[in-house]
Amino acid sequence: MGASISSLQQLQPQTEATKTKASPAEVQSAFADSLKNAINNVNKASVTSNQMTEKLAKGDVDNLHEVMVTAQKSSVTLQTAVQVQGKVIDAYKEISRMQV
């Protein structure tokens, strides 16, 4: 979960002091890497939740609380990803409607 927050912090606007000249290809690559990392974090949370649920069903895990917390983290992570996706699509549609 901390990794996804740090990914979001990387997307924050840069101040004048921290701006550097980057080519469009570098910016595109950095953005693509950020998206890949975010998707990987969502997938890892889901896989971990599934593994914990399987272990609980097999009787390998006695702590139901831990399993439920893992499942809830996975759910919140997925819901956040879906909400961000919706906002990105809305922003893209808004930009595409702009007249240049």
Side-chain angles (χ1 to χ4, degrees):
M1 187 102 165
S4 61
I5 291 173
S6 65
S7 296
L8 290 176
Q9 289 171 343
Q10 291 174 357
L11 297 177
Q12 296 296 324
Q14 295 179 341
T15 62
E16 291 297 323
T18 60
K19 283 187 179 178
T20 59
K21 298 288 181 178
S23 70
E26 292 171 342
V27 172
Q28 181 181 3
S29 176
F31 184 71
D33 289 342
S34 294
L35 288 178
K36 286 176 190 175
N37 287 338
I39 291 169
N40 285 335
N41 288 338
V42 171
N43 187 46
K44 284 178 188 177
S46 178
V47 168
T48 302
S49 175
N50 290 341
Q51 289 173 345
M52 292 293 289
T53 303
E54 281 183 26
K55 287 180 182 180
L56 179 68
K58 291 178 183 177
D60 295 339
V61 175
D62 294 331
N63 191 351
L64 177 62
H65 177 74
E66 184 179 345
V67 175
M68 294 304 295
V69 167
T70 304
Q72 192 63 29
K73 282 182 183 180
S74 174
S75 175
V76 168
T77 304
L78 181 61
Q79 289 173 2
T80 302
V82 169
Q83 291 295 320
V84 169
Q85 176 194 19
K87 294 294 182 182
V88 168
I89 290 171
D90 290 345
Y92 175 79
K93 287 179 182 178
E94 186 68 27
I95 290 170
S96 67
R97 281 187 242 135
M98 289 182 181
Q99 294 181 356
V100 182

